[in-house]
Amino acid sequence: MDKAATRWLILILLLLLATALRFYRLDAQSFWNDEGNAARAAERTLPLILHAARGDIHPPGYYLLLHLWRALTGESEFALRALSACCSVLTVALTYGLGRRLLGTATGLGGTLLAALSPLAVYYSQEARMYALLGLCVVASTFWLCALVRQPARCALCRSLPYVLTAASGLYTHYA
């Protein structure tokens, strides 16, 4: 087996591990207070979600996305938590791309392994809260910022747009 095939096999196995850890017993516990609040917020209409965000300490990005997700997947605890689990798996995948871009394939795979096994990442991927989405936005915006810095823009707006969108998505998800 050549190096590229081995690399892809390892990456796929790490992503399967990350997926298994994040979806295992996803609905084993009932919602706790903040998750219940998020579920109720997602039941509102889009204008009401935006209006309610004025009095909340969190921006409305996650609640808007959860509202759309809920329409596609349903209202069960598993379905609502699956949004965070999916965001977390995407974060693990993007960690490979970021590590590979910055320091090479071995670093990308090592970072992917750490992200897949991170107890904190697994914990937040199993909550119907905005933290896994925020992690995805952070890794994505860092990925695009590195791309922008490494290859100066021929068309500054076109090259910076992915970074601006992912960074703004992060701010629209959580003020941290």
Side-chain angles (χ1 to χ4, degrees):
M1 188 180 287
D2 67 339
K3 285 184 180 183
T6 303
R7 179 184 71 224
W8 282 109
L9 178 62
I10 293 170
L11 181 60
I12 289 168
L13 290 173
L14 289 173
L15 291 174
L16 288 173
L17 173 64
T19 303
L21 290 172
R22 281 148 179 79
F23 280 92
Y24 176 70
R25 295 176 45 92
L26 191 60
D27 59 352
Q29 296 182 2
S30 297
F31 281 151
W32 66 285
N33 186 41
D34 283 357
E35 288 181 299
N37 291 339
R40 296 299 73 82
E43 291 175 351
R44 300 176 182 150
T45 64
L46 297 180
L48 281 177
I49 292 172
L50 292 171
H51 179 71
R54 289 186 229 167
D56 195 354
I57 60 170
H58 298 295
Y62 175 76
Y63 303 120
L64 293 169
L65 184 59
L66 189 61
H67 176 84
L68 300 173
W69 181 266
R70 182 180 165 272
L72 294 172
T73 63
E75 315 177 2
S76 71
E77 291 167 351
F78 184 92
L80 294 180
R81 287 178 177 151
L83 173 60
S84 293
C86 289
C87 288
S88 187
V89 171
L90 288 173
T91 302
V92 172
L94 202 51
T95 298
Y96 169 74
L98 180 61
R100 184 170 184 232
R101 173 168 283 181
L102 290 175
L103 297 168
T105 301
T107 301
L109 290 173
T112 303
L113 175 64
L114 293 175
L117 295 176
S118 168
L120 195 60
V122 172
Y123 177 82
Y124 282 118
S125 73
Q126 294 187 337
E127 283 198 349
R129 296 294 290 154
M130 72 280 306
Y131 306 113
L133 177 59
L134 177 63
L136 175 61
C137 291
V138 167
V139 173
S141 66
T142 304
F143 177 88
W144 289 114
L145 180 62
C146 290
L148 187 62
V149 169
R150 286 186 176 229
Q151 294 181 349
R154 287 184 281 276
C155 169
L157 179 63
C158 299
R159 297 277 300 152
S160 61
L161 190 60
Y163 167 70
V164 169
L165 291 175
T166 54
S169 295
L171 288 172
Y172 210 61
T173 299
H174 199 281
Y175 292 128

PDB file of all heavy atoms in Angstrom, residues 29-61:
ATOM      1  N   GLN A  29     -28.947  10.314  28.444  1.00  0.00           N
ATOM      2  CA  GLN A  29     -29.427  11.163  29.531  1.00  0.00           C
ATOM      3  C   GLN A  29     -30.462  12.141  28.997  1.00  0.00           C
ATOM      4  O   GLN A  29     -30.440  12.514  27.826  1.00  0.00           O
ATOM      5  CB  GLN A  29     -28.276  11.944  30.150  1.00  0.00           C
ATOM      6  CG  GLN A  29     -27.244  11.068  30.827  1.00  0.00           C
ATOM      7  CD  GLN A  29     -26.140  11.903  31.466  1.00  0.00           C
ATOM      8  OE1 GLN A  29     -26.166  13.119  31.435  1.00  0.00           O
ATOM      9  NE2 GLN A  29     -25.171  11.224  32.045  1.00  0.00           N
ATOM     10  N   SER A  30     -31.328  12.572  29.887  1.00  0.00           N
ATOM     11  CA  SER A  30     -32.303  13.601  29.525  1.00  0.00           C
ATOM     12  C   SER A  30     -31.588  14.941  29.378  1.00  0.00           C
ATOM     13  O   SER A  30     -30.485  15.134  29.886  1.00  0.00           O
ATOM     14  CB  SER A  30     -33.371  13.720  30.613  1.00  0.00           C
ATOM     15  OG  SER A  30     -34.092  12.526  30.720  1.00  0.00           O
ATOM     16  N   PHE A  31     -32.257  15.864  28.694  1.00  0.00           N
ATOM     17  CA  PHE A  31     -31.708  17.214  28.599  1.00  0.00           C
ATOM     18  C   PHE A  31     -31.508  17.814  29.979  1.00  0.00           C
ATOM     19  O   PHE A  31     -32.325  17.622  30.873  1.00  0.00           O
ATOM     20  CB  PHE A  31     -32.676  18.132  27.835  1.00  0.00           C
ATOM     21  CG  PHE A  31     -32.634  17.987  26.343  1.00  0.00           C
ATOM     22  CD1 PHE A  31     -33.765  18.249  25.601  1.00  0.00           C
ATOM     23  CD2 PHE A  31     -31.485  17.620  25.675  1.00  0.00           C
ATOM     24  CE1 PHE A  31     -33.753  18.150  24.222  1.00  0.00           C
ATOM     25  CE2 PHE A  31     -31.458  17.512  24.304  1.00  0.00           C
ATOM     26  CZ  PHE A  31     -32.597  17.776  23.576  1.00  0.00           C
ATOM     27  N   TRP A  32     -30.457  18.541  30.161  1.00  0.00           N
ATOM     28  CA  TRP A  32     -30.308  19.337  31.362  1.00  0.00           C
ATOM     29  C   TRP A  32     -30.794  20.744  31.043  1.00  0.00           C
ATOM     30  O   TRP A  32     -31.177  21.036  29.913  1.00  0.00           O
ATOM     31  CB  TRP A  32     -28.876  19.289  31.901  1.00  0.00           C
ATOM     32  CG  TRP A  32     -27.808  19.911  31.044  1.00  0.00           C
ATOM     33  CD1 TRP A  32     -27.271  19.396  29.898  1.00  0.00           C
ATOM     34  CD2 TRP A  32     -27.157  21.145  31.277  1.00  0.00           C
ATOM     35  NE1 TRP A  32     -26.323  20.238  29.390  1.00  0.00           N
ATOM     36  CE2 TRP A  32     -26.231  21.338  30.226  1.00  0.00           C
ATOM     37  CE3 TRP A  32     -27.246  22.120  32.258  1.00  0.00           C
ATOM     38  CZ2 TRP A  32     -25.408  22.452  30.140  1.00  0.00           C
ATOM     39  CZ3 TRP A  32     -26.417  23.216  32.162  1.00  0.00           C
ATOM     40  CH2 TRP A  32     -25.514  23.381  31.114  1.00  0.00           C
ATOM     41  N   ASN A  33     -30.805  21.622  32.005  1.00  0.00           N
ATOM     42  CA  ASN A  33     -31.464  22.926  31.901  1.00  0.00           C
ATOM     43  C   ASN A  33     -31.098  23.702  30.634  1.00  0.00           C
ATOM     44  O   ASN A  33     -31.983  24.120  29.886  1.00  0.00           O
ATOM     45  CB  ASN A  33     -31.150  23.761  33.146  1.00  0.00           C
ATOM     46  CG  ASN A  33     -31.913  25.054  33.179  1.00  0.00           C
ATOM     47  OD1 ASN A  33     -33.088  25.094  32.838  1.00  0.00           O
ATOM     48  ND2 ASN A  33     -31.245  26.118  33.571  1.00  0.00           N
ATOM     49  N   ASP A  34     -29.813  23.907  30.383  1.00  0.00           N
ATOM     50  CA  ASP A  34     -29.407  24.712  29.222  1.00  0.00           C
ATOM     51  C   ASP A  34     -29.781  24.044  27.905  1.00  0.00           C
ATOM     52  O   ASP A  34     -30.144  24.724  26.937  1.00  0.00           O
ATOM     53  CB  ASP A  34     -27.907  24.987  29.262  1.00  0.00           C
ATOM     54  CG  ASP A  34     -27.545  26.075  30.251  1.00  0.00           C
ATOM     55  OD1 ASP A  34     -28.459  26.661  30.862  1.00  0.00           O
ATOM     56  OD2 ASP A  34     -26.342  26.361  30.403  1.00  0.00           O
ATOM     57  N   GLU A  35     -29.690  22.728  27.844  1.00  0.00           N
ATOM     58  CA  GLU A  35     -30.098  22.025  26.625  1.00  0.00           C
ATOM     59  C   GLU A  35     -31.601  22.169  26.399  1.00  0.00           C
ATOM     60  O   GLU A  35     -32.045  22.348  25.262  1.00  0.00           O
ATOM     61  CB  GLU A  35     -29.759  20.538  26.710  1.00  0.00           C
ATOM     62  CG  GLU A  35     -28.293  20.218  26.595  1.00  0.00           C
ATOM     63  CD  GLU A  35     -28.053  18.735  26.673  1.00  0.00           C
ATOM     64  OE1 GLU A  35     -28.394  18.141  27.719  1.00  0.00           O
ATOM     65  OE2 GLU A  35     -27.546  18.160  25.694  1.00  0.00           O
ATOM     66  N   GLY A  36     -32.363  22.084  27.468  1.00  0.00           N
ATOM     67  CA  GLY A  36     -33.811  22.280  27.358  1.00  0.00           C
ATOM     68  C   GLY A  36     -34.142  23.677  26.867  1.00  0.00           C
ATOM     69  O   GLY A  36     -35.045  23.853  26.035  1.00  0.00           O
ATOM     70  N   ASN A  37     -33.409  24.669  27.366  1.00  0.00           N
ATOM     71  CA  ASN A  37     -33.607  26.043  26.893  1.00  0.00           C
ATOM     72  C   ASN A  37     -33.285  26.166  25.405  1.00  0.00           C
ATOM     73  O   ASN A  37     -33.993  26.859  24.665  1.00  0.00           O
ATOM     74  CB  ASN A  37     -32.752  27.018  27.704  1.00  0.00           C
ATOM     75  CG  ASN A  37     -33.229  27.159  29.125  1.00  0.00           C
ATOM     76  OD1 ASN A  37     -34.378  26.871  29.442  1.00  0.00           O
ATOM     77  ND2 ASN A  37     -32.335  27.600  29.994  1.00  0.00           N
ATOM     78  N   ALA A  38     -32.208  25.513  24.971  1.00  0.00           N
ATOM     79  CA  ALA A  38     -31.846  25.552  23.551  1.00  0.00           C
ATOM     80  C   ALA A  38     -32.922  24.875  22.700  1.00  0.00           C
ATOM     81  O   ALA A  38     -33.291  25.371  21.627  1.00  0.00           O
ATOM     82  CB  ALA A  38     -30.492  24.882  23.326  1.00  0.00           C
ATOM     83  N   ALA A  39     -33.439  23.744  23.188  1.00  0.00           N
ATOM     84  CA  ALA A  39     -34.495  23.036  22.449  1.00  0.00           C
ATOM     85  C   ALA A  39     -35.747  23.903  22.336  1.00  0.00           C
ATOM     86  O   ALA A  39     -36.386  23.947  21.278  1.00  0.00           O
ATOM     87  CB  ALA A  39     -34.821  21.711  23.138  1.00  0.00           C
ATOM     88  N   ARG A  40     -36.103  24.577  23.406  1.00  0.00           N
ATOM     89  CA  ARG A  40     -37.289  25.463  23.380  1.00  0.00           C
ATOM     90  C   ARG A  40     -37.039  26.663  22.467  1.00  0.00           C
ATOM     91  O   ARG A  40     -37.939  27.093  21.743  1.00  0.00           O
ATOM     92  CB  ARG A  40     -37.638  25.962  24.784  1.00  0.00           C
ATOM     93  CG  ARG A  40     -38.069  24.898  25.783  1.00  0.00           C
ATOM     94  CD  ARG A  40     -39.331  24.105  25.443  1.00  0.00           C
ATOM     95  NE  ARG A  40     -39.279  23.123  24.400  1.00  0.00           N
ATOM     96  CZ  ARG A  40     -38.835  21.859  24.507  1.00  0.00           C
ATOM     97  NH1 ARG A  40     -38.362  21.393  25.633  1.00  0.00           N
ATOM     98  NH2 ARG A  40     -38.875  21.042  23.482  1.00  0.00           N
ATOM     99  N   ALA A  41     -35.837  27.207  22.509  1.00  0.00           N
ATOM    100  CA  ALA A  41     -35.534  28.348  21.635  1.00  0.00           C
ATOM    101  C   ALA A  41     -35.648  27.947  20.166  1.00  0.00           C
ATOM    102  O   ALA A  41     -36.121  28.730  19.341  1.00  0.00           O
ATOM    103  CB  ALA A  41     -34.134  28.880  21.936  1.00  0.00           C
ATOM    104  N   ALA A  42     -35.226  26.728  19.837  1.00  0.00           N
ATOM    105  CA  ALA A  42     -35.270  26.260  18.451  1.00  0.00           C
ATOM    106  C   ALA A  42     -36.690  26.018  17.960  1.00  0.00           C
ATOM    107  O   ALA A  42     -36.920  25.942  16.754  1.00  0.00           O
ATOM    108  CB  ALA A  42     -34.441  24.989  18.302  1.00  0.00           C
ATOM    109  N   GLU A  43     -37.651  25.907  18.878  1.00  0.00           N
ATOM    110  CA  GLU A  43     -39.049  25.719  18.480  1.00  0.00           C
ATOM    111  C   GLU A  43     -39.682  27.008  17.975  1.00  0.00           C
ATOM    112  O   GLU A  43     -40.695  26.968  17.286  1.00  0.00           O
ATOM    113  CB  GLU A  43     -39.864  25.208  19.665  1.00  0.00           C
ATOM    114  CG  GLU A  43     -39.531  23.804  20.089  1.00  0.00           C
ATOM    115  CD  GLU A  43     -40.284  23.387  21.340  1.00  0.00           C
ATOM    116  OE1 GLU A  43     -40.942  24.234  21.976  1.00  0.00           O
ATOM    117  OE2 GLU A  43     -40.204  22.192  21.682  1.00  0.00           O
ATOM    118  N   ARG A  44     -39.097  28.140  18.323  1.00  0.00           N
ATOM    119  CA  ARG A  44     -39.667  29.433  17.941  1.00  0.00           C
ATOM    120  C   ARG A  44     -39.516  29.666  16.435  1.00  0.00           C
ATOM    121  O   ARG A  44     -38.727  29.018  15.761  1.00  0.00           O
ATOM    122  CB  ARG A  44     -38.948  30.563  18.685  1.00  0.00           C
ATOM    123  CG  ARG A  44     -39.052  30.474  20.171  1.00  0.00           C
ATOM    124  CD  ARG A  44     -38.227  31.563  20.814  1.00  0.00           C
ATOM    125  NE  ARG A  44     -38.294  31.444  22.260  1.00  0.00           N
ATOM    126  CZ  ARG A  44     -37.322  31.804  23.076  1.00  0.00           C
ATOM    127  NH1 ARG A  44     -36.205  32.315  22.596  1.00  0.00           N
ATOM    128  NH2 ARG A  44     -37.455  31.658  24.373  1.00  0.00           N
ATOM    129  N   THR A  45     -40.231  30.651  15.948  1.00  0.00           N
ATOM    130  CA  THR A  45     -40.061  31.071  14.558  1.00  0.00           C
ATOM    131  C   THR A  45     -38.735  31.817  14.441  1.00  0.00           C
ATOM    132  O   THR A  45     -38.183  32.301  15.447  1.00  0.00           O
ATOM    133  CB  THR A  45     -41.207  31.988  14.115  1.00  0.00           C
ATOM    134  OG1 THR A  45     -41.162  33.178  14.897  1.00  0.00           O
ATOM    135  CG2 THR A  45     -42.560  31.290  14.252  1.00  0.00           C
ATOM    136  N   LEU A  46     -38.228  31.941  13.228  1.00  0.00           N
ATOM    137  CA  LEU A  46     -36.953  32.629  13.030  1.00  0.00           C
ATOM    138  C   LEU A  46     -36.986  34.072  13.549  1.00  0.00           C
ATOM    139  O   LEU A  46     -36.046  34.499  14.234  1.00  0.00           O
ATOM    140  CB  LEU A  46     -36.535  32.569  11.560  1.00  0.00           C
ATOM    141  CG  LEU A  46     -36.274  31.158  11.014  1.00  0.00           C
ATOM    142  CD1 LEU A  46     -35.864  31.220   9.548  1.00  0.00           C
ATOM    143  CD2 LEU A  46     -35.244  30.419  11.829  1.00  0.00           C
ATOM    144  N   PRO A  47     -38.039  34.854  13.265  1.00  0.00           N
ATOM    145  CA  PRO A  47     -38.066  36.222  13.826  1.00  0.00           C
ATOM    146  C   PRO A  47     -38.075  36.239  15.353  1.00  0.00           C
ATOM    147  O   PRO A  47     -37.439  37.095  15.974  1.00  0.00           O
ATOM    148  CB  PRO A  47     -39.356  36.816  13.264  1.00  0.00           C
ATOM    149  CG  PRO A  47     -39.651  36.027  12.033  1.00  0.00           C
ATOM    150  CD  PRO A  47     -39.142  34.650  12.321  1.00  0.00           C
ATOM    151  N   LEU A  48     -38.765  35.283  15.969  1.00  0.00           N
ATOM    152  CA  LEU A  48     -38.786  35.236  17.430  1.00  0.00           C
ATOM    153  C   LEU A  48     -37.429  34.837  18.008  1.00  0.00           C
ATOM    154  O   LEU A  48     -37.032  35.328  19.070  1.00  0.00           O
ATOM    155  CB  LEU A  48     -39.862  34.279  17.928  1.00  0.00           C
ATOM    156  CG  LEU A  48     -41.294  34.814  17.910  1.00  0.00           C
ATOM    157  CD1 LEU A  48     -42.268  33.728  18.351  1.00  0.00           C
ATOM    158  CD2 LEU A  48     -41.421  36.032  18.804  1.00  0.00           C
ATOM    159  N   ILE A  49     -36.716  33.968  17.317  1.00  0.00           N
ATOM    160  CA  ILE A  49     -35.367  33.612  17.766  1.00  0.00           C
ATOM    161  C   ILE A  49     -34.473  34.842  17.741  1.00  0.00           C
ATOM    162  O   ILE A  49     -33.731  35.116  18.690  1.00  0.00           O
ATOM    163  CB  ILE A  49     -34.773  32.479  16.897  1.00  0.00           C
ATOM    164  CG1 ILE A  49     -35.530  31.174  17.116  1.00  0.00           C
ATOM    165  CG2 ILE A  49     -33.284  32.286  17.202  1.00  0.00           C
ATOM    166  CD1 ILE A  49     -35.133  30.051  16.167  1.00  0.00           C
ATOM    167  N   LEU A  50     -34.542  35.603  16.659  1.00  0.00           N
ATOM    168  CA  LEU A  50     -33.730  36.822  16.554  1.00  0.00           C
ATOM    169  C   LEU A  50     -34.127  37.851  17.608  1.00  0.00           C
ATOM    170  O   LEU A  50     -33.272  38.496  18.222  1.00  0.00           O
ATOM    171  CB  LEU A  50     -33.857  37.415  15.148  1.00  0.00           C
ATOM    172  CG  LEU A  50     -33.239  36.582  14.028  1.00  0.00           C
ATOM    173  CD1 LEU A  50     -33.617  37.159  12.666  1.00  0.00           C
ATOM    174  CD2 LEU A  50     -31.739  36.502  14.182  1.00  0.00           C
ATOM    175  N   HIS A  51     -35.422  37.996  17.836  1.00  0.00           N
ATOM    176  CA  HIS A  51     -35.902  38.953  18.834  1.00  0.00           C
ATOM    177  C   HIS A  51     -35.463  38.543  20.249  1.00  0.00           C
ATOM    178  O   HIS A  51     -35.015  39.377  21.040  1.00  0.00           O
ATOM    179  CB  HIS A  51     -37.423  39.077  18.767  1.00  0.00           C
ATOM    180  CG  HIS A  51     -37.991  40.020  19.771  1.00  0.00           C
ATOM    181  ND1 HIS A  51     -37.816  41.386  19.667  1.00  0.00           N
ATOM    182  CD2 HIS A  51     -38.693  39.812  20.897  1.00  0.00           C
ATOM    183  CE1 HIS A  51     -38.393  41.973  20.704  1.00  0.00           C
ATOM    184  NE2 HIS A  51     -38.942  41.032  21.464  1.00  0.00           N
ATOM    185  N   ALA A  52     -35.565  37.256  20.555  1.00  0.00           N
ATOM    186  CA  ALA A  52     -35.201  36.770  21.895  1.00  0.00           C
ATOM    187  C   ALA A  52     -33.708  36.895  22.156  1.00  0.00           C
ATOM    188  O   ALA A  52     -33.286  37.027  23.307  1.00  0.00           O
ATOM    189  CB  ALA A  52     -35.646  35.323  22.060  1.00  0.00           C
ATOM    190  N   ALA A  53     -32.907  36.873  21.099  1.00  0.00           N
ATOM    191  CA  ALA A  53     -31.452  36.963  21.270  1.00  0.00           C
ATOM    192  C   ALA A  53     -31.029  38.311  21.845  1.00  0.00           C
ATOM    193  O   ALA A  53     -29.962  38.414  22.448  1.00  0.00           O
ATOM    194  CB  ALA A  53     -30.748  36.717  19.941  1.00  0.00           C
ATOM    195  N   ARG A  54     -31.851  39.322  21.693  1.00  0.00           N
ATOM    196  CA  ARG A  54     -31.512  40.638  22.246  1.00  0.00           C
ATOM    197  C   ARG A  54     -31.394  40.600  23.762  1.00  0.00           C
ATOM    198  O   ARG A  54     -30.635  41.346  24.342  1.00  0.00           O
ATOM    199  CB  ARG A  54     -32.556  41.669  21.840  1.00  0.00           C
ATOM    200  CG  ARG A  54     -32.493  42.011  20.393  1.00  0.00           C
ATOM    201  CD  ARG A  54     -33.442  43.141  20.099  1.00  0.00           C
ATOM    202  NE  ARG A  54     -34.226  42.742  18.937  1.00  0.00           N
ATOM    203  CZ  ARG A  54     -35.309  43.339  18.534  1.00  0.00           C
ATOM    204  NH1 ARG A  54     -35.784  44.365  19.189  1.00  0.00           N
ATOM    205  NH2 ARG A  54     -35.935  42.925  17.466  1.00  0.00           N
ATOM    206  N   GLY A  55     -32.160  39.737  24.393  1.00  0.00           N
ATOM    207  CA  GLY A  55     -32.133  39.646  25.848  1.00  0.00           C
ATOM    208  C   GLY A  55     -31.326  38.471  26.362  1.00  0.00           C
ATOM    209  O   GLY A  55     -31.313  38.213  27.563  1.00  0.00           O
ATOM    210  N   ASP A  56     -30.657  37.742  25.485  1.00  0.00           N
ATOM    211  CA  ASP A  56     -29.897  36.559  25.880  1.00  0.00           C
ATOM    212  C   ASP A  56     -28.411  36.900  25.903  1.00  0.00           C
ATOM    213  O   ASP A  56     -27.963  37.852  25.260  1.00  0.00           O
ATOM    214  CB  ASP A  56     -30.163  35.429  24.864  1.00  0.00           C
ATOM    215  CG  ASP A  56     -29.731  34.057  25.360  1.00  0.00           C
ATOM    216  OD1 ASP A  56     -29.116  33.975  26.441  1.00  0.00           O
ATOM    217  OD2 ASP A  56     -30.001  33.073  24.659  1.00  0.00           O
ATOM    218  N   ILE A  57     -27.639  36.092  26.621  1.00  0.00           N
ATOM    219  CA  ILE A  57     -26.195  36.323  26.655  1.00  0.00           C
ATOM    220  C   ILE A  57     -25.488  35.665  25.476  1.00  0.00           C
ATOM    221  O   ILE A  57     -24.299  35.863  25.291  1.00  0.00           O
ATOM    222  CB  ILE A  57     -25.577  35.830  27.984  1.00  0.00           C
ATOM    223  CG1 ILE A  57     -25.805  34.335  28.164  1.00  0.00           C
ATOM    224  CG2 ILE A  57     -26.116  36.616  29.156  1.00  0.00           C
ATOM    225  CD1 ILE A  57     -25.026  33.729  29.305  1.00  0.00           C
ATOM    226  N   HIS A  58     -26.216  34.881  24.682  1.00  0.00           N
ATOM    227  CA  HIS A  58     -25.636  34.218  23.520  1.00  0.00           C
ATOM    228  C   HIS A  58     -26.252  34.777  22.243  1.00  0.00           C
ATOM    229  O   HIS A  58     -27.449  35.048  22.197  1.00  0.00           O
ATOM    230  CB  HIS A  58     -25.891  32.709  23.573  1.00  0.00           C
ATOM    231  CG  HIS A  58     -25.268  32.030  24.738  1.00  0.00           C
ATOM    232  ND1 HIS A  58     -23.906  31.955  24.922  1.00  0.00           N
ATOM    233  CD2 HIS A  58     -25.814  31.408  25.812  1.00  0.00           C
ATOM    234  CE1 HIS A  58     -23.638  31.314  26.037  1.00  0.00           C
ATOM    235  NE2 HIS A  58     -24.779  30.972  26.604  1.00  0.00           N
ATOM    236  N   PRO A  59     -25.455  34.904  21.199  1.00  0.00           N
ATOM    237  CA  PRO A  59     -26.018  35.327  19.910  1.00  0.00           C
ATOM    238  C   PRO A  59     -26.903  34.224  19.327  1.00  0.00           C
ATOM    239  O   PRO A  59     -26.848  33.074  19.761  1.00  0.00           O
ATOM    240  CB  PRO A  59     -24.773  35.577  19.054  1.00  0.00           C
ATOM    241  CG  PRO A  59     -23.681  34.801  19.703  1.00  0.00           C
ATOM    242  CD  PRO A  59     -24.010  34.687  21.148  1.00  0.00           C
ATOM    243  N   PRO A  60     -27.702  34.546  18.324  1.00  0.00           N
ATOM    244  CA  PRO A  60     -28.717  33.595  17.848  1.00  0.00           C
ATOM    245  C   PRO A  60     -28.244  32.556  16.836  1.00  0.00           C
ATOM    246  O   PRO A  60     -29.030  31.702  16.425  1.00  0.00           O
ATOM    247  CB  PRO A  60     -29.756  34.516  17.206  1.00  0.00           C
ATOM    248  CG  PRO A  60     -28.947  35.655  16.694  1.00  0.00           C
ATOM    249  CD  PRO A  60     -27.876  35.867  17.731  1.00  0.00           C
ATOM    250  N   GLY A  61     -26.998  32.571  16.429  1.00  0.00           N
ATOM    251  CA  GLY A  61     -26.550  31.672  15.360  1.00  0.00           C
ATOM    252  C   GLY A  61     -26.846  30.203  15.600  1.00  0.00           C
ATOM    253  O   GLY A  61     -27.389  29.516  14.733  1.00  0.00           O
TER     254      GLY A  61
END
